[in-house]
Amino acid sequence: MMDFATRVHNHNYRLDPIIRSLLDTDFYKFLMHQFIWMLYPKVPVTFSLINRTKTVRLAEIIPEAVLRAQLDHARTLTFRENELIWLAGNRFYGRRDIFRPEYIEYLRTFRLPDYKLETVDGQYVLTFEGDWAAVTMWEIYALAIVSELRSRIAMASLDKFELDILYAQTKTKIWNKIKKLKSYPDMRLAEFGTRRRHGFLWQEWVTDAMANELGRSFVGTSNALLAFKHSFEAIGTNSHELPMVFGCLADSDEVLKTAQYDVLAKWQEVYDGELLIILPDTFGMTQFLRDAPAWASKWTGMRMDSKEPVAAGEEVIAWYAMRGEDPRKKRAMFSDGLEVDLMIDLHQRFRG
C-alpha cells in the first residue's frame, strides 16, 4: 500500500522529478505524434501554456527555479528500450501494428526541445516553438509539471500526520464515488486525468482502485505509463490541436472552413476502426455537424467535450438520424469536467 504521507513529505528533497518517463503522457499524444511526424513534421508552430484562472497567480506560488528544474529534467529523458517494445508490440484497439517501425526508431533518439519561460503580471507564460513533430510532445508533460508543483507547494507546510489525515479523507471521497459507480455495471468509463493531476502517485492509486473495484466498467486509462506498468488498456484518439493547427495554416476563409474536415480525411488515411472518433467542437459543434461531409457519419462515434453534454448528445443523435445512421450503433464519449452524478445522469439518458 502506498504511503502517500511519506512520499509527499519527501518532495522536499532537492529534486523529486515529476516526469520520470516519456510514457507519462496521454496515449493520444503518440497517435497524434505519429500522424504529425508522418505528414507534417516540419510545420513551424508555437504553443504556449497560459493559466486561464487569473486569480491563481502561479508565478507567486511556484518558484521559477523549481519550475525550471522540473522542465530541464524532462528534457534529459529518452524512451527506454522496454517502453519502445511496448509501443511497437502491444495490441492497441485490437491492433498490434498501430505504430510504424520507422516511427518507433524516430522515438529512440527523441528528446524534448527547449522552452521559453517568462513572468507576466504574476503568471508564467511557458512557450514552445519549433517543428511541430518536436514541439507537440511538450503539452502534457508541461501541464502535469505545473499542476503537480502547485499541489506540492500547497502541502509543503503540512507535517506527516496532517498529510496522513488528508489522504485518508480523500481516499474516503474516492471510495464513495466508486461505490456509486458500481451500481451501474453496464457503464463504461476511463481515467483521463494526467494533465490536471494532483500527482502521479495519486493518479496511479486512483486508477488502480477503479480497475480493481469497477471490473468491466473500467475500460482503461489515457496515461501511457500507467497502461504500460499495470497492463491497462491505453485509451485515446486525437484532440483539438490538429484542427487548430490546420486552421492556422489556412490561407483563405474557404480553406479555414474545410480545415476541420481535411484533418479528419487525413486521419482516416493513417488510422481506421476504433480510432475513427470525431471531436467536433474545435470551432463549434453545430456548424461542424451542419456542414460535415457524408463520410463523417460513417465513423465509429463522437467525443463530446465542450458543449453542454445533454444538449450535445441530443444534437448528435438527431444528426445521425438525419444522415440515415442508427445512433444506437455509434459510440458517444463524454469527457468535459464530469463528476459522478453527471456521469450517471448521462449514462441513464443515452445508454442503449
Side-chain angles (χ1 to χ4, degrees):
M1 181 66 68
M2 176 60 65
D3 183 352
F4 286 105
T6 298
R7 286 292 283 114
V8 172
H9 185 68
N10 289 346
H11 287 160
N12 297 317
Y13 292 170
R14 186 183 66 83
L15 180 65
D16 186 354
I18 290 172
I19 305 299
R20 296 168 179 258
S21 164
L22 290 180
L23 278 187
D24 188 10
T25 188
D26 283 336
F27 181 68
Y28 79 78
K29 291 303 298 185
F30 292 107
L31 296 169
M32 289 174 49
H33 192 213
Q34 177 174 245
F35 175 86
I36 294 164
W37 172 80
M38 289 175 60
L39 302 179
Y40 306 96
K42 297 297 183 180
V43 169
V45 298
T46 301
F47 295 153
S48 294
L49 190 160
I50 300 172
N51 177 24
R52 292 180 295 185
T53 308
K54 300 303 183 183
T55 55
V56 179
R57 299 171 66 83
L58 288 176
E60 297 172 4
I61 298 171
I62 303 171
E64 182 175 328
V66 173
L67 177 54
R68 287 189 180 275
Q70 292 290 346
L71 295 168
D72 290 343
H73 175 77
R75 293 192 65 221
T76 70
L77 298 175
T78 58
F79 287 98
R80 303 181 183 95
E81 186 65 25
N82 61 341
E83 296 171 339
L84 294 174
I85 291 172
W86 179 76
L87 285 170
N90 198 50
R91 188 179 295 276
F92 302 108
Y93 291 102
R95 286 179 48 182
R96 203 180 294 278
D97 60 345
I98 280 184
F99 296 111
R100 273 70 165 176
E102 298 84 0
Y103 174 65
I104 298 298
E105 286 306 306
Y106 165 76
L107 290 182
R108 194 175 298 279
T109 58
F110 179 83
R111 287 178 184 265
L112 292 169
D114 205 355
Y115 61 89
K116 181 181 180 181
L117 181 62
E118 301 173 283
T119 302
V120 178
D121 191 24
Q123 300 291 349
Y124 286 123
V125 179
L126 182 55
T127 304
F128 310 98
E129 186 172 3
D131 293 341
W132 194 6
V135 169
T136 184
M137 291 299 283
W138 258 120
E139 178 193 6
I140 307 301
Y141 306 127
L143 287 166
I145 285 170
V146 171
S147 181
E148 187 162 347
L149 281 178
R150 186 193 175 204
S151 293
R152 287 185 180 188
I153 290 167
M155 296 186 298
S157 62
L158 302 180
D159 61 30
K160 187 177 177 181
F161 178 76
E162 291 172 314
L163 289 167
D164 204 25
I165 296 300
L166 173 66
Y167 280 106
Q169 293 172 332
T170 310
K171 286 180 178 180
T172 300
K173 289 181 67 175
I174 292 294
W175 174 239
N176 287 333
K177 293 181 179 184
I178 288 175
K179 281 197 300 183
K180 274 190 175 183
L181 293 170
K182 289 179 75 169
S183 299
Y184 302 90
D186 55 342
M187 182 190 293
R188 298 293 179 264
L189 59 98
E191 185 277 327
F192 200 87
T194 302
R195 69 189 60 211
R196 295 182 181 89
R197 71 189 182 198
H198 166 71
F200 174 79
L201 294 175
W202 179 247
Q203 181 185 16
E204 184 173 34
W205 186 89
V206 171
T207 305
D208 196 40
M210 292 168 64
N212 285 322
E213 297 299 327
L214 294 177
R216 292 183 59 194
S217 291
F218 177 76
V219 298
T221 174
S222 70
N223 186 284
L225 181 57
L226 292 179
F228 168 69
K229 286 182 62 178
H230 298 280
S231 297
F232 296 145
E233 190 74 25
I235 301 295
T237 53
N238 57 65
S239 75
H240 300 97
E241 177 185 341
L242 296 182
M244 289 172 70
V245 172
F246 268 59
C248 289
L249 295 174
D251 57 7
S252 69
D253 288 344
E254 292 75 16
V255 176
L256 175 60
K257 174 63 179 178
T258 61
Q260 58 192 335
Y261 310 120
D262 294 341
V263 68
L264 296 181
K266 292 292 186 182
W267 183 266
Q268 68 181 355
E269 291 177 8
V270 177
Y271 301 114
D272 57 17
E274 295 295 319
L275 295 178
L276 296 184
I277 300 295
I278 295 174
L279 180 61
D281 57 6
T282 303
F283 307 117
M285 174 182 280
T286 298
Q287 64 80 32
F288 178 96
L289 296 178
R290 182 189 64 228
D291 301 324
W295 51 259
S297 63
K298 305 298 182 183
W299 278 37
T300 304
M302 289 201 192
R303 176 161 75 93
M304 277 68 80
D305 186 67
S306 300
K307 195 165 190 173
E308 194 282 321
V310 172
E314 295 293 350
E315 187 173 2
V316 167
I317 288 172
W319 180 77
Y320 277 127
M322 184 179 66
R323 295 293 182 104
E325 298 288 334
D326 185 349
R328 294 170 298 180
K329 296 180 179 179
K330 299 295 182 178
R331 182 163 298 174
M333 301 178 183
F334 298 93
S335 61
D336 185 28
L338 299 182
E339 263 293 347
V340 168
D341 289 340
L342 178 56
M343 292 166 63
I344 292 170
D345 289 345
L346 291 171
H347 170 68
Q348 291 180 318
R349 185 180 186 99
F350 294 113
R351 65 179 176 178

